[in-house]
Amino acid sequence: MNYNDIKSRLKRTFVSLNDRFDEDIDKHINVEPWENGMGESWTFGSSDQVSLYNKVMIILYNLASLKDNLKNSLKKNGYSPQIIEEEINNSIYLKVLIDIVNQDKHGSPLRKPRSNINPYISDLNQGLRLGDKREGFDGPVILIDGYIRNIDGQIIFTLDQLVETCYEKFSDLSNKYNC
């Protein structure tokens, strides 16, 4: 495997982004009989926060690692790697992504945060969504979703917005500089 191949890295990252979705709904159905025996409750997905956080952090780490891959590719193509740092500094989404991953690696608060809002992931859940925004798929899906909040608890954006926007920004940079 060529670890310097940015196109391959983008493809692998895109695949990990789709790990938020699972079309095999049957494996996520939880049936709990009522105590009185008169019925049952059906729920979909998982409330296991440790597993959900692990899945989300894998996605965020994959996204964040594109930063250094792109910097290396830019340098190889004769461009300044600083272009990536400037793009990050100009995007609240990318700054928050880098901060969340760095907090996971180094602990919080960070000595040199990018966003200066001490972002964190909250309200992770996995549940049934009847429609799906992915191209070519229009059926129900099990989805992991949540919110990104600042230190004051205010919602900054959804997990979906963070993931999709960061991927789009890094992908656009790759295309723009022919990486």
Side-chain angles (χ1 to χ4, degrees), residues 149-163:
R149 297 179 184 267
N150 66 15
I151 194 163
D152 298 324
Q154 296 171 317
I155 296 172
I156 307 303
F157 29 77
T158 67
L159 176 63
D160 256 2
Q161 289 170 320
L162 174 67
V163 168

Side-chain angles (χ1 to χ4, degrees), residues 41-148:
S41 294
W42 287 45
T43 58
F44 300 88
S46 171
S47 59
D48 178 5
Q49 291 296 293
V50 172
S51 294
L52 294 176
Y53 270 98
N54 276 339
K55 288 178 182 181
V56 168
M57 290 311 296
I58 288 169
I59 293 167
L60 298 183
Y61 271 86
N62 283 340
L63 278 169
S65 70
L66 289 172
K67 170 187 149 187
D68 290 331
N69 294 125
L70 282 167
K71 287 172 76 170
N72 290 338
S73 190
L74 283 176
K75 189 173 182 177
K76 184 179 119 191
N77 289 348
Y79 297 102
S80 170
Q82 190 60 29
I83 291 169
I84 301 301
E85 295 298 333
E86 290 168 8
E87 186 71 25
I88 292 169
N89 290 336
N90 291 323
S91 168
I92 186 63
Y93 292 95
L94 292 173
K95 288 190 285 192
V96 165
L97 169 69
I98 300 302
D99 279 355
I100 288 173
V101 169
N102 282 336
Q103 287 173 18
D104 190 59
K105 286 192 300 189
H106 305 292
S108 183
L110 295 172
R111 285 183 287 145
K112 294 181 182 179
R114 302 289 289 253
S115 68
N116 293 314
I117 62 171
N118 291 326
Y120 64 95
I121 303 166
S122 75
D123 306 305
L124 279 183
N125 64 73
Q126 184 181 44
L128 180 67
R129 183 176 282 179
L130 296 179
D132 187 356
K133 66 181 177 184
R134 294 177 296 162
E135 250 183 72
F137 187 80
D138 59 1
V141 66
I142 300 296
L143 168 74
I144 298 172
D145 205 1
Y147 295 106
I148 309 301

